[in-house]
Amino acid sequence: MSQIETQTTTGETEEQIRDEWLEYEFDGETALSVEDLDVFYGNDQALQSIDMDIPEKSVTALIGPSGCGKSTFLRCLNRMNDRIDAARVEGTVEFAGENIYDDDVNLVELRKRIGMVFQSPNPFPKSIRENISYGPRKHGDIDTGLVARLLGRDDRDEEEELVERCLRGAALWDEVHDRLDDNALGLSGGQQQRLCIARALAVGPDVLLMDEPASALDPIATSKIEDLVEDLAEEYTVVIVTHNMQQAARISDQTAVFLTGGELVEYGDTDQIFENPQSQRVEDYITGKFG
Amino acid sequence: MSESYGDERANIVAETSAVDQLAVIPATFGAIAFVVGWAIVFRWISVTDTLAGIEYATLLSIGHLLAAAVLCAVGIFSTTGIVDTEPDDSTGLFTALAFGAIAFIGVGLTASQTLGTGATVWFPTSLVAAVLVAGVVLGVPEDLGVTLPVAAFELVVGLVVLTDVIGPSWVWSPNGFSASFVGPIAIAAFAMVGSLLCVWAGTNASKGFGSRGRELGAYALISTYAVALLAILALLIIFVVQNGLNQVLKGAQLWPFKLPFVLNGYGLQYDVNGIFPAIVGTVWLVVGAVVFAVPLAVGAAVYLTEYADQGRFTRIVETATNGLWSTPSIVYGLFAFAFLLPRIQNDVTLLTGQLVLGFMLLPLVLITSREALQNVPDEYRDASAALGVTQWQTIRSVVLPAAIPGVLTGIILGIGRIAGETAPILLVLVREPFSASTPSVLGSFHFTATAPFITNDALLGPATALPYQLFAVITAGVGASQEFGWGTALVLLCVVMFFYAIGITTRIYFRKKLRQ
Ligand SMILES: Nc1ncnc2c1ncn2[C@@H]1O[C@H](COP(=O)(O)OP(=O)(O)OP(=O)(O)O)[C@@H](O)[C@H]1O
Ligand SMILES: [Mg+2]
């Protein structure tokens, strides 16, 4: 929207957000289109009229200081905020030509198509195989139950094929292919996180939302996840929150900078944001003077 | 400079000194006295028995005096600097108060009972003594504050027993108190209290007081308590087994297998009367109660935790359930008698017994299931929701499986309680406590072509149960002999253990499934 009154945390400069900082021209289709999005937790406003178009089959990085609303924004994109009692969302998010905040939206379908990977790895206390086939099973796409087996409509082979495909997709197959029936909690943190990515891939999403997926991992596991994210962008639309500026610069095609107070200050091509930011505050943040 | 560096090193490396070795004596005496005390209480040995020609009472008193002497010596050596220790400046408020309390009790008892003085005298006297002792302990350095009070206690106790002031034949019947205390029990009590004090003071001193000493002292004291606790449990079981085993094995033989007490009914046709009907009755009561209560309780817990808004409503329900859990069982019995019985057959039935025990089981399983569900991390729920899985499917395939071990714990605890309950079934279950016939619940299902389609006479007939029989034999003195009662008690214990075993095995199975 047009010129928003803003306050900087330093209080020294009153910088106004300009429309052109948020204008980002890209070729190709729009996957998600966010318009005038406000989020409140009780009486506190966590996001201030965010407008943002996210191109498909690319990596979009969300960066900004702690508490500026990146996770909140991400959760808005597949309506995980519905699960927080205090949260109230206003505005629209358009996905596949529909506002996902319409009353008649089917949450099951929405979340099947917009998957999410959380900050800390959270595999289910089940086997690796079960973790991956969990979603498809619950959606009835795969049936290996007793009845199906008796009726001869057992989807074992599909399951095997799906597990392998998703684990390969998440670059985990080589490490775990010989112990698919072990409990997932026995994996290392980085492996668990890639398992969570594989689990999200298994329901066949178009969009993957990742909230600091590498924040709990060592450099090697982190670089595996980074490579993975870049590969995934060929097929999926990836939106990733990160605190790591180099990571954002390395893997993302475009970057959105949020600053304290829940405003989107600048959004554009990653190279441009990092090399030539237009907002003084963004430059301060990126160069480490602020935030 | 290098000198002091060397000193500091010496402190880091543990050193053995004379105190270490001396202080082991009271600690060892404490450990031995502890065991002997228990042995006396359980009448495995008598205080007048002899060991190497000396009565146990005398041996104990000599031990008390020895401990007193050694502790005294340790305290003095330490404070005069003959041996190296690191005591604090004061013994600490808690220890001082504890010794004050011991002084209060000791002086109070002596003054009121031996000297025959009234409350106006003994109360202020002992209060003054307590304050005095506490004050002194608080004021002196730790090495004296720990050793001397214990030494004083040991000295008094040792002298009292040695001089036969409180000997094996001593009897004390306090005024206005129908019970009387006898010498052996007093001597055992002295031994046990003294042993705790000695273990604590001895181990504390052996590390040279200070924080290292307190650390070991606390550890030794807590370990002794833990051993005492386990000993009580073990002795309880041993006691029941000792008394009941003969009866259970009466007429038993291995081949052809015979265990008449367990496998027979009670009646003229049996050469050895048995309790099989009661065993089966108890098993069916428990099974019925579990079948009735567990689905209801778990369902309610799921609703309260997963669906209901956390607020006043859930809090009220929670308070009410806690209240129900602490309701005396006889109240459940009355409820069953006044409410259930007239509505079911208007006569005593197995079903009524199952229902009332089910009611008792409900709150506990509800409370523990709720706790177990709340302990399932929200990350699982979020992860599942983010995959587009509905809430009910999430509960069924992620939340409940993760909560099963906790739920099982609740069921196990609950079964332990209801299997042994007499009061709730007192009025609603039994027609003849010593029954010849066994309720055959499984064999009594009949299918009919008209409603209600399925009937079961055994459920609607009377039954009997182990705790009820026990109550009848021991309290009311009806029917059978004392041994019969002890046998019943032992079998009841085994039945409860059997249920525990089932519960714990399933819990282990589910835990494993979640972990590996
Ligand atoms: N469940 C909640 N209830 C109330 N307030 C919340 C909740 N979650 C977040 N907030 C508030 O919303 C604001 C934005 O939080 P958010 O978690 O989106 O920040 P973030 O940018 O992800 O920070 P970080 O980088 O530390 O993860 C914060 O001020 C926070 O206190
Ligand atoms: Mg966050």
Side-chain angles (χ1 to χ4, degrees):
Chain A
M1 295 274 93
S2 61
Q3 319 266 308
I4 302 155
E5 276 303 313
T6 58
Q7 283 181 326
T8 60
T9 45
T10 54
E12 287 162 11
T13 46
E14 284 260 315
E15 190 188 55
Q16 305 240 311
I17 299 174
R18 304 228 187 94
D19 268 355
E20 62 259 30
W21 297 351
L22 302 176
E23 264 160 29
Y24 174 48
E25 304 286 336
F26 52 84
D27 326 322
E29 304 283 310
T30 305
L32 285 155
S33 169
V34 180
E35 225 171 285
D36 202 9
L37 188 79
D38 293 298
V39 179
F40 303 84
Y41 290 111
N43 292 325
D44 301 329
Q45 187 159 5
L47 285 180
Q48 322 242 6
S49 30
I50 308 291
D51 289 294
M52 190 169 161
D53 284 348
I54 297 172
E56 70 167 16
K57 300 201 172 147
S58 64
V59 179
T60 306
L62 308 180
I63 61 173
S66 185
C68 67
K70 305 179 296 291
S71 301
T72 303
F73 179 73
L74 204 66
R75 284 201 301 267
C76 286
L77 300 182
N78 69 345
R79 288 188 61 174
M80 286 297 279
N81 275 335
D82 290 16
R83 298 173 50 73
I84 300 172
D85 287 337
R88 185 159 53 84
V89 178
E90 287 169 9
T92 60
V93 176
E94 229 172 77
F95 173 66
E98 273 182 79
N99 177 11
I100 64 170
Y101 282 93
D102 279 348
D103 289 338
D104 57 356
V105 162
N106 179 347
L107 276 187
V108 172
E109 279 308 314
L110 174 72
R111 289 181 184 152
K112 270 168 78 172
R113 296 187 59 184
I114 307 184
M116 189 162 202
V117 176
F118 296 81
Q119 178 166 357
S120 50
N122 57 356
F124 300 123
K126 300 171 183 285
S127 74
I128 295 172
R129 188 197 309 278
E130 283 170 317
N131 260 283
I132 293 185
S133 55
Y134 175 81
R137 272 193 207 195
K138 297 301 142 190
H139 296 135
D141 300 337
I142 279 186
D143 195 350
T144 53
L146 188 63
V147 180
R149 248 181 284 165
L150 290 180
L151 291 178
R153 267 193 264 135
D154 184 345
D155 296 330
R156 283 277 173 97
D157 300 336
E158 282 91 327
E159 187 188 17
E160 284 307 304
E161 192 259 329
L162 173 89
V163 168
E164 177 167 353
R165 181 164 49 81
C166 295
L167 284 175
R168 281 191 192 283
L172 188 60
W173 174 255
D174 293 338
E175 285 158 71
V176 300
H177 66 91
D178 51 354
R179 48 173 171 149
L180 295 177
D181 289 311
D182 288 5
N183 196 307
L185 299 185
L187 297 176
S188 78
Q191 290 172 329
Q192 288 188 7
Q193 191 61 296
R194 278 177 284 151
L195 178 64
C196 292
I197 296 175
R199 179 178 67 185
L201 296 181
V203 290
D206 301 324
V207 180
L208 261 187
L209 310 176
M210 301 182 160
D211 195 347
E212 298 178 47
S215 67
L217 306 180
D218 71 69
I220 295 176
T222 303
S223 77
K224 278 191 183 164
I225 301 255
E226 285 179 10
D227 294 346
L228 176 59
V229 168
E230 292 189 277
D231 290 346
L232 288 174
E234 287 170 15
E235 260 184 88
Y236 304 90
T237 305
V238 179
V239 184
I240 184 167
V241 173
T242 175
H243 270 142
N244 182 331
M245 232 77 75
Q246 287 79 32
Q247 187 175 67
R250 270 198 300 272
I251 63 176
S252 69
D253 300 305
Q254 54 276 335
T255 299
V257 187
F258 289 73
L259 289 181
T260 311
E263 335 157 283
L264 174 61
V265 179
E266 196 163 344
Y267 175 46
D269 191 64
T270 297
D271 294 337
Q272 178 256 310
I273 295 275
F274 280 97
E275 279 156 26
N276 182 24
Q278 289 170 294
S279 152
Q280 185 59 42
R281 288 190 295 156
V282 169
E283 184 170 348
D284 289 349
Y285 173 67
I286 288 172
T287 53
K289 281 192 206 141
F290 154 72
Chain B
M1 271 333 270
S2 65
E3 195 78 61
S4 75
Y5 175 73
D7 278 357
E8 270 164 34
R9 264 189 83 88
N11 283 343
I12 294 168
V13 178
E15 37 181 342
T16 20
S17 68
V19 167
D20 296 23
Q21 283 139 29
L22 261 186
V24 168
I25 296 175
T28 314
F29 164 70
I32 296 172
F34 190 74
V35 176
V36 175
W38 274 116
I40 293 171
V41 169
F42 278 87
R43 302 205 177 136
W44 291 333
I45 57 175
S46 151
V47 283
T48 51
D49 284 350
T50 56
L51 184 71
I54 312 173
E55 284 187 4
Y56 276 106
T58 318
L59 281 175
L60 278 175
S61 59
I62 293 172
H64 282 302
L65 293 176
L66 182 69
V70 173
L71 281 173
C72 203
V74 167
I76 290 166
F77 286 169
S78 164
T79 203
T80 50
I82 295 178
V83 292
D84 239 7
T85 52
E86 307 148 4
D88 285 4
D89 291 342
S90 163
T91 319
L93 189 63
F94 184 74
T95 316
L97 288 180
F99 282 129
I102 292 176
F104 184 84
I105 295 171
V107 174
L109 280 179
T110 318
S112 66
Q113 300 304 325
T114 325
L115 309 178
T117 55
T120 45
V121 179
W122 75 257
F123 186 77
T125 318
S126 41
L127 200 60
V128 168
V131 171
L132 217 65
V133 169
V136 169
V137 172
L138 202 57
V140 299
E142 195 186 15
D143 44 3
L144 292 181
V146 167
T147 51
L148 293 192
V150 177
F153 178 88
E154 293 292 280
L155 180 70
V156 171
V157 164
L159 284 179
V160 160
V161 175
L162 192 67
T163 54
D164 237 10
V165 174
I166 294 182
S169 53
W170 176 81
V171 179
W172 174 44
S173 317
N175 317 334
F177 208 63
S178 56
S180 57
F181 297 93
V182 292
I185 297 296
I187 292 172
F190 288 153
M192 284 193 266
V193 176
S195 70
L196 287 179
L197 291 174
C198 281
V199 164
W200 172 71
T203 46
N204 194 334
S206 75
K207 286 286 176 195
F209 309 99
S211 56
R212 280 207 306 149
R214 281 198 296 275
E215 164 75 19
L216 188 67
Y219 172 74
L221 195 61
I222 290 169
S223 310
T224 320
Y225 270 130
V227 170
L229 197 83
L230 289 181
I232 292 177
L233 290 180
L235 288 169
L236 229 147
I237 291 173
I238 292 170
F239 200 61
V240 172
V241 172
Q242 253 182 0
N243 281 293
L245 198 61
N246 261 341
Q247 175 68 26
V248 172
L249 293 181
K250 203 168 178 182
Q253 90 190 30
L254 215 55
W255 190 259
F257 185 74
K258 265 194 192 167
L259 197 55
F261 180 71
V262 175
L263 297 176
N264 280 0
Y266 193 100
L268 291 175
Q269 67 268 44
Y270 300 110
D271 48 344
V272 176
N273 280 322
I275 54 169
F276 191 63
I279 297 176
V280 174
T282 290
V283 170
W284 278 121
L285 279 175
V286 169
V287 170
V290 168
V291 166
F292 168 69
V294 169
L296 275 181
V298 174
V302 166
Y303 173 74
L304 288 173
T305 323
E306 305 289 325
Y307 289 104
D309 287 337
Q310 306 300 309
R312 185 176 304 172
F313 172 68
T314 47
R315 272 205 304 282
I316 290 176
V317 173
E318 207 158 296
T319 316
T321 4
N322 290 343
L324 268 182
W325 172 238
S326 14
T327 303
S329 53
I330 188 73
V331 176
Y332 281 95
L334 274 178
F335 165 75
F337 182 66
F339 183 86
L340 293 178
L341 190 110
R343 287 165 177 77
I344 304 172
Q345 208 84 338
N346 205 7
D347 197 358
V348 292
T349 62
L350 178 58
L351 183 63
T352 318
Q354 291 174 329
L355 285 181
V356 65
L357 290 183
F359 281 128
M360 287 190 62
L361 192 56
L362 250 164
L364 182 71
V365 179
L366 176 56
I367 293 168
T368 48
S369 305
R370 219 167 115 68
E371 203 121 295
L373 288 170
Q374 281 165 342
N375 283 338
V376 176
D378 267 340
E379 279 87 57
Y380 294 166
R381 299 186 179 89
D382 283 344
S384 185
L387 291 168
V389 176
T390 57
Q391 190 175 7
W392 169 238
Q393 282 178 320
T394 304
I395 292 170
R396 232 187 43 193
S397 26
V398 178
V399 180
L400 273 182
I404 280 182
V407 175
L408 282 174
T409 305
I411 298 176
I412 293 169
L413 287 175
I415 286 178
R417 180 175 178 194
I418 61 166
E421 278 291 354
T422 315
I425 53 174
L426 201 56
L427 304 168
V428 297
L429 178 74
V430 184
R431 190 171 296 141
E432 35 173 359
F434 302 99
S435 163
S437 61
T438 306
S440 148
V441 174
L442 288 182
S444 304
F445 279 106
H446 287 291
F447 299 93
T448 52
T450 54
F453 302 113
I454 184 166
T455 62
N456 191 325
D457 288 337
L459 278 181
L460 295 177
T464 183
L466 290 169
Y468 188 94
Q469 279 197 348
L470 203 56
F471 166 78
V473 173
I474 291 182
T475 312
V478 246
S481 64
Q482 284 273 334
E483 283 86 67
F484 193 85
W486 280 113
T488 313
L490 178 56
V491 172
L492 177 56
L493 201 68
C494 293
V495 169
V496 173
M497 294 292 165
F498 171 70
F499 278 118
Y500 276 9
I502 296 179
I504 291 171
T505 323
T506 18
R507 188 170 62 185
I508 290 173
Y509 168 77
F510 280 109
R511 282 218 176 119
K512 268 209 176 130
K513 228 179 125 184
L514 288 175
R515 298 269 154 74
Q516 56 172 249

